[in-house]
Amino acid sequence: MAFEPKEEQKELKYQELRIYKDDELKNYTEEELKSFKVKHPTPLLDDLEKGPWPSFVADAKRQALHRRKLSTDRMLIERDVVEDMLGQLEDSFNDGETHWKHGGIVGVFGYGGGVIGRYSDMPEKYPSIAHFHTMRVNQPASKFYNTDYLRSLCDLWEYRGSGLMNMHGSTGDIIFLGTFTEQLEPIFYELTHILQQDLGGSGSNLRTPSCCIGKARCEWSCIDTQDMCYELTHHYQDELHRPAFPYKFKFKFDGCPNGCVASIARSDMSFIGTWRDNIRIDQEAVKAYIGGEIPPNAGAHKGRDWGKFDIQKEVIDLCPTQCMWMEDGKLKIDDKECTRCMHCINVMPKALRPGLDTGVSLLFGAKAPILEGAQMSVLTIPFMKAEPPYDNIKEIVEKVWDWWMEEGKNRERLGELIQRYGIPKFLEVLEIPPMPQMVKEPRSNPYIFWKEEDVPGGWQRDINDYRSRHKR
Amino acid sequence: MALSTERLGLYNPEKPMENRITDLGPRHFWQYFPPIIRNNYGKWTHHEILEPGILVHFSETGDKVFTVRCGGCRFMTVEHVREICDIADKYCEGHMRFTTRNNIEFLVDSSDKLEALKKDLMSRKHVSGSYKFPIGGTGAGLTNIVHTQGYIHCHTPATDASSMVKAVMDDLFDYFQGMTLPAQVRVSMACCLNMCGAVHCSDIALLGYHRKPPIVDAEVLESVCEIPLVIAACPTGAISPAKTESGKKAVKIKEERCMFCGNCYTMCMALPLSDKEGDGVTILAGGKISNRISPPKFSKVVVPFLPNNFPRYPEVCETVKQIIEAYASDAKKYERVGDWAERIGWEKFFEKTNIPFTEHLIDDYRLQYDTYRTSTQFKYTEAAWEVSRAAGGIED
């Protein structure tokens, strides 16, 4: 099965695209790096070079040295941008306060998202980071790369920016950290015209959608997370780049209820792959797990002696619905009681697999605490088939957005709007009936908002008629 | 066509819209899959973790793919990414990927290549001694800490991020390279309540936060902020309009109603609230996002405040270690931190982790009642005897 991109993809060859020659890329020795000092004293940062975990300080220093040794005409923003960044970071440690100014509206023409303005509040001391804008670059689904593409991005970003990046930002984008205003448009032009690559989202937009590794390298993915992510990202480019929403909106795609991209905690609209038929069982493999021939939980517990695998204790008794048992040496599952929590499948991946009739559960409204407290997504649509071009899903997306754009207050996330109006209103918007699966338990307060049309005879009554039966 | 080296490249500021291309979206994922991934897309049957950091996935076609997972700093320079590319070119036909927790994954199709790759990765160190590509982060261990920008790039942080992660990961390095825990432990870090990293459902969450109300920069407020938006931004209604003596429009803050969320500062740069002594770290524990066995849960605040002791945060590192070690010695196989805490009861969590329980851990914000215990089912711990003593209920 191969996928066709929406637009023809230019093949990118680093050898044709590159800016730097080999000798410019390897322009310092290990000896030079050992004796290299950045121009500002950084004793606190230097301490972070010790210890086994990769040191971002050591990494930044080699970037600083690399820039020191490039010739002046081989970069378009200041040579010492990394050194100034480190100097300011050291000052922030000393002061216990950040030295980045609040805000700053910059961007590229026609977009409201993708660029975040950033200015130092110590520009006299650190002129090279007086502007230090971020650009969010929309990552390919599941963050697979080839080196032609990554090396080309590196050359572009070293030439026109600081050479500092995040791989990746929390939402998933490749983050270019730090360039001057003048270079924003040129970088965008190079990205689009030469690298056929767009920016991601920021501001009150659809944020860059992201997905788990899906069918690319996981046996559990019930949906094509990459394909859905790609298709919906392309379909909603306008929403990604031009702010029209009350606040941010996130799509995340998890292939199964294990939730490796955390969609249930982090996205306004969580797509979680699931199935509606039976868990597939390989009874021979079940025996092999019981016999100790295959390590449980795919070997995740190999670091410690937990004793012999016990299917009763480790699988059957831990099943949250108690829907499994052994019978005549075979594992039985009462699938209609199963809530697809994935535990048994995770413990015995060779023996148990999700069903084949797969689709997606849709949940809405997750967000971090600002403003109304943290929320997780609410299970709203239990199961939908999810096949390209995902028209059934796009219909839902648009109903949600229409309502939120109409009713949402400034900086109100979808989850907060749902709370303000209540789920029954949200169901009206989605034109779906209520189901007990939407709640953990029914309400315990009886203050029910009946509507006039719910009650026979309506709400309009005659006081004289009432008084004819009840004296004042 | 090569990347341009002209100062403004292809961009012509005189005619910014000429030949402009927009809304291309991301490049298509398929071209970035190594051949073995393309050939086996959707055909994987099962997998195994061979050793910490090394996975093998089996396909119904008979193919196998080995993955080596290495920890990475989220902050990376182009020099580092170029080194990743060198490795990928040497061993993986020019392909690699990143995980959602900022690990780097190299994929190979044979165990011979795997051995050479492993050796190479562990031999690469920064000149100052730290590993560049430590292998680990799988199974019942600790994976990389996802985090936010901190002082490197953010205008609202209450602490730094990259440095805290470095300090904590140095301390927990054995758990990254091992699989000795009862289940996986996900540590996450966000440098203010905005939680760009959405750490609120992690086994252990480190959160920078402020403790002083904003300072009103009344001289500039009316010219740089939309006052009604600022007032509306406060979730507790602590901000109201005011005028300075010189007649400028500004706002005043009812300080006792401020819970330091910083939302007003996000709306208005004239209300800064960061402060060296006021800012610090709060620790949450017991959250998860997986639906496995128990439903996803929020992390709960277990330490209300620790100081920002740059650059190594000894108090934070110590507390995280205390939680993980108590959990490691007490939890059952497959039990996540939150599941463990719920089984033994949160009162025992505080006893076993030796973390003091303070009034700040009792919710006094909205929906607080949902967290109160309305039952006589509780366990006795020293904290309970202290209450009994203080109330005059017992003598000793």
Side-chain angles (χ1 to χ4, degrees):
Chain A
M1 175 162 74
F3 286 97
E4 288 306 315
K6 256 201 123 101
E7 283 153 22
E8 203 182 320
Q9 296 276 291
K10 239 196 268 186
E11 199 181 351
L12 304 180
K13 287 277 167 216
Y14 177 63
Q15 289 308 339
E16 293 162 13
L17 294 163
R18 64 189 296 174
I19 292 175
Y20 297 107
K21 298 188 286 285
D22 280 341
D23 60 336
E24 288 175 306
L25 292 179
K26 308 267 183 228
N27 68 353
Y28 59 89
T29 65
E30 190 133 326
E31 287 315 304
E32 286 174 289
L33 191 53
K34 270 181 196 157
S35 55
F36 175 66
K37 294 263 178 297
V38 296
K39 64 189 233 190
H40 310 287
T42 56
L44 294 173
L45 280 165
D46 295 347
D47 190 69
L48 293 168
E49 294 196 65
K50 299 172 195 151
W53 187 251
S55 168
F56 71 98
V57 177
D59 186 20
K61 283 185 178 175
R62 66 173 161 172
Q63 178 62 25
L65 175 60
H66 187 244
R67 285 184 83 86
R68 275 256 195 121
K69 298 202 70 187
L70 278 177
S71 73
T72 306
D73 61 347
R74 301 296 278 157
M75 55 203 145
L76 293 175
I77 71 166
E78 289 300 315
R79 172 190 302 285
D80 56 0
V81 55
V82 184
E83 297 180 57
D84 273 5
M85 187 282 286
L86 290 172
Q88 183 177 299
L89 182 57
E90 180 84 12
D91 278 352
S92 301
F93 285 171
N94 285 317
D95 299 341
E97 289 168 354
T98 189
H99 282 291
W100 297 110
K101 271 190 199 173
H102 183 291
I105 304 282
V106 286
V108 296
F109 264 108
Y111 278 19
V115 181
I116 296 114
R118 190 67 76 229
Y119 300 90
S120 170
D121 68 7
M122 310 164 92
E124 297 80 16
K125 192 170 178 191
Y126 303 114
S128 302
I129 54 166
H131 305 197
F132 201 67
H133 308 316
T134 296
M135 299 185 87
R136 293 187 178 166
V137 179
N138 194 337
Q139 81 287 0
S142 307
K143 305 183 186 81
F144 276 90
Y145 293 101
N146 68 21
T147 55
D148 281 308
Y149 173 66
L150 275 186
R151 287 184 199 277
S152 306
L153 281 186
C154 288
D155 277 21
L156 170 67
W157 184 238
E158 178 148 48
Y159 194 68
R160 295 183 184 275
S162 67
L164 305 175
M165 318 159 82
N166 284 146
M167 297 298 275
H168 297 75
S170 297
T171 305
D173 303 89
I174 303 161
I175 306 284
F176 285 173
L177 280 176
T179 193
F180 263 62
T181 306
E182 178 208 65
Q183 285 301 322
L184 294 172
E185 286 288 355
I187 292 166
F188 179 66
Y189 246 79
E190 297 290 310
L191 280 173
T192 50
H193 284 76
I194 314 283
L195 301 179
Q196 203 184 16
Q197 166 70 58
D198 207 342
L199 297 179
S202 65
S204 291
N205 288 346
L206 175 64
R207 297 302 179 84
T208 311
S210 74
C211 62
C212 71
I213 193 168
K215 289 176 187 271
R217 202 205 52 203
C218 183
E219 64 267 33
W220 295 324
S221 192
C222 297
I223 47 171
D224 274 316
T225 54
Q226 283 104 337
D227 188 53
M228 279 179 85
C229 186
Y230 179 82
E231 168 60 28
L232 292 184
T233 308
H234 274 263
H235 190 76
Y236 292 118
Q237 281 295 300
D238 200 27
E239 286 71 18
L240 202 70
H241 292 132
R242 292 167 197 90
F245 290 158
Y247 199 15
K248 65 180 99 167
F249 197 94
K250 297 184 178 181
F251 289 154
K252 291 190 195 296
F253 304 87
D254 273 314
C256 83
N258 278 332
C260 290
V261 286
S263 70
I264 205 164
R266 308 199 292 157
S267 50
D268 300 86
M269 190 164 175
S270 317
F271 300 81
I272 304 182
T274 193
W275 66 95
R276 58 174 169 169
D277 53 349
N278 295 341
I279 291 175
R280 288 174 281 166
I281 310 179
D282 175 344
Q283 297 290 356
E284 287 309 307
V286 173
K287 279 194 196 118
Y289 278 104
I290 295 171
E293 292 140 49
I294 312 174
N297 217 36
H301 291 85
K302 277 179 184 170
R304 180 155 145 191
D305 183 11
W306 291 93
K308 191 179 177 312
F309 174 67
D310 180 344
I311 194 169
Q312 184 67 36
K313 194 170 133 205
E314 296 185 37
V315 180
I316 295 172
D317 291 349
L318 288 181
C319 170
T321 65
Q322 304 286 299
C323 70
M324 324 181 77
W325 68 97
M326 293 300 292
E327 196 174 297
D328 304 328
K330 287 189 172 165
L331 180 69
K332 300 280 183 185
I333 302 175
D334 183 1
D335 282 276
K336 61 184 188 308
E337 297 300 321
C338 171
T339 52
R340 301 168 308 286
C341 86
M342 298 291 298
H343 174 64
C344 59
I345 297 174
N346 288 334
V347 176
M348 304 193 293
K350 199 169 181 194
L352 301 176
R353 300 176 68 188
L356 289 166
D357 187 359
T358 57
V360 72
S361 294
L362 286 186
L363 298 85
F364 293 89
K367 56 182 279 294
I370 300 275
L371 256 182
E372 291 292 319
Q375 284 180 221
M376 266 187 272
S377 283
V378 177
L379 175 71
T380 305
I381 298 177
F383 185 89
M384 270 179 111
K385 293 305 266 186
E387 308 293 342
Y390 312 104
D391 286 338
N392 54 345
I393 286 165
K394 290 173 189 164
E395 265 177 48
I396 305 269
V397 169
E398 280 149 40
K399 281 181 194 169
V400 171
W401 283 351
D402 282 349
W403 178 58
W404 181 51
M405 283 194 274
E406 183 72 29
E407 301 294 341
K409 295 192 285 193
N410 182 41
R411 281 171 68 75
E412 186 173 49
R413 294 282 290 267
L414 175 68
E416 289 156 342
L417 180 65
I418 294 173
Q419 261 208 50
R420 184 154 62 86
Y421 275 88
I423 285 187
K425 176 69 196 171
F426 188 51
L427 303 186
E428 233 172 74
V429 168
L430 294 177
E431 300 172 281
I432 55 172
M435 60 172 185
Q437 286 86 340
M438 289 163 181
V439 294
K440 285 181 193 138
E441 58 188 33
R443 64 194 303 159
S444 48
N445 75 68
Y447 303 127
I448 301 165
F449 287 96
W450 294 98
K451 292 197 185 74
E452 186 171 11
E453 59 268 28
D454 292 333
V455 190
W459 288 349
Q460 296 309 313
R461 286 175 292 160
D462 180 3
I463 188 66
N464 295 326
D465 174 50
Y466 181 81
R467 289 297 169 212
S468 71
R469 286 174 279 121
H470 305 280
K471 276 189 194 149
R472 271 195 186 101
Chain B
M1 189 158 61
L3 289 165
S4 164
T5 52
E6 300 296 312
R7 177 138 208 115
L8 294 181
L10 302 169
Y11 175 65
N12 175 4
E14 305 296 317
K15 295 179 178 168
M17 302 313 281
E18 195 173 68
N19 298 325
R20 197 173 183 84
I21 304 174
T22 62
D23 299 289
L24 280 169
R27 288 183 62 83
H28 195 264
F29 53 90
W30 191 254
Q31 65 201 301
Y32 295 128
F33 290 163
I36 189 160
I37 295 296
R38 286 190 202 176
N39 296 338
N40 295 287
Y41 192 87
K43 295 176 187 163
W44 303 105
T45 59
H46 64 287
H47 75 283
E48 196 184 324
I49 306 170
L50 296 175
E51 55 186 274
I54 315 287
L55 306 149
V56 55
H57 284 77
F58 299 85
S59 165
E60 63 193 33
T61 63
D63 284 351
K64 281 195 276 192
V65 65
F66 297 91
T67 302
V68 183
R69 181 177 295 172
C70 313
C73 296
R74 171 184 190 258
F75 172 89
M76 285 178 196
T77 69
V78 295
E79 281 294 277
H80 195 68
V81 175
R82 284 173 181 144
E83 187 165 351
I84 294 170
C85 290
D86 290 343
I87 298 165
D89 280 339
K90 196 167 169 193
Y91 300 96
C92 312
E93 284 104 33
H95 294 271
M96 94 296 297
R97 74 175 292 265
F98 292 81
T99 71
T100 41
R101 302 191 74 87
N102 308 322
N103 297 293
I104 306 147
E105 289 187 341
F106 297 101
L107 282 64
V108 291
D109 54 13
S110 80
S111 44
D112 293 347
K113 287 185 197 166
L114 172 68
E115 289 310 313
L117 171 61
K118 265 164 52 182
K119 227 172 123 188
D120 186 339
L121 290 169
M122 290 307 285
S123 75
R124 288 175 191 255
K125 288 186 170 183
H126 284 294
V127 285
S128 41
S130 69
Y131 288 104
K132 287 175 177 170
F133 304 102
I135 297 170
T138 53
L142 186 83
T143 190
N144 204 345
I145 302 181
V146 289
H147 64 95
T148 54
Q149 296 282 22
Y151 293 159
I152 283 186
H153 207 242
C154 184
H155 67 287
T156 66
T159 188
D160 187 42
S162 310
S163 57
M164 194 186 301
V165 168
K166 164 70 175 153
V168 174
M169 285 308 283
D170 273 346
D171 256 33
L172 300 178
F173 194 67
D174 289 347
Y175 291 114
F176 174 80
Q177 293 212 310
M179 299 193 294
T180 55
L181 296 171
Q184 68 265 49
V185 173
R186 302 285 178 253
V187 184
S188 310
M189 195 275 151
C191 47
C192 85
L193 276 176
N194 270 317
M195 273 197 198
C196 301
V199 305
H200 57 287
C201 294
S202 309
D203 293 281
I204 299 177
L206 312 173
L207 178 66
Y209 82 122
H210 305 289
R211 292 188 304 170
K212 294 190 186 181
I215 317 165
V216 181
D217 191 353
E219 278 311 299
V220 299
L221 196 137
E222 71 170 3
S223 54
V224 295
C225 308
E226 296 271 356
I227 290 176
L229 277 183
V230 178
I231 293 169
C234 180
T236 63
I239 305 178
S240 51
K243 267 196 178 161
T244 64
E245 279 175 21
S246 60
K248 285 190 170 162
K249 281 187 197 163
V251 296
K252 58 179 186 293
I253 293 170
K254 205 173 265 178
E255 292 177 344
E256 72 276 11
R257 296 192 72 174
C258 178
M259 45 83 169
F260 323 107
C261 71
N263 199 46
C264 54
Y265 180 59
T266 300
M267 299 306 294
C268 171
M269 56 92 78
L271 293 170
L273 73 166
S274 62
D275 180 86
K276 186 171 189 168
E277 286 77 31
D279 292 354
V281 185
T282 182
I283 297 184
L284 298 89
K288 72 189 200 59
I289 47 96
S290 155
N291 289 273
R292 184 177 184 171
I293 305 179
S294 61
K297 351 175 183 274
F298 290 121
S299 313
K300 285 89 184 160
V301 180
V302 295
V303 180
F305 181 81
L306 291 172
N308 275 332
N309 274 327
F310 307 105
R312 285 279 169 184
Y313 312 88
E315 300 85 354
V316 174
C317 293
E318 188 52 41
T319 309
V320 172
K321 224 170 176 173
Q322 263 168 262
I323 297 171
I324 291 186
E325 279 169 5
Y327 159 75
S329 67
D330 199 62
K332 295 181 178 174
K333 192 177 178 186
Y334 307 114
E335 209 168 43
R336 296 286 292 265
V337 171
D339 294 329
W340 166 63
E342 283 171 15
R343 175 172 61 81
I344 61 175
W346 281 98
E347 63 264 50
K348 283 279 180 191
F349 172 92
F350 287 96
E351 188 181 64
K352 289 185 187 221
T353 54
N354 202 23
I355 292 174
F357 188 87
T358 74
E359 69 185 63
H360 295 114
L361 300 177
I362 298 177
D363 198 351
D364 53 3
Y365 195 54
R366 290 176 192 155
L367 307 176
Q368 48 179 277
Y369 197 84
D370 292 354
T371 61
Y372 295 170
R373 184 169 313 196
T374 51
S375 155
T376 55
Q377 295 183 4
F378 64 90
K379 291 180 180 175
Y380 291 117
T381 62
E382 187 45 39
W385 299 132
E386 245 178 77
V387 172
S388 296
R389 266 194 295 272
I394 54 175
E395 274 154 25
D396 55 316

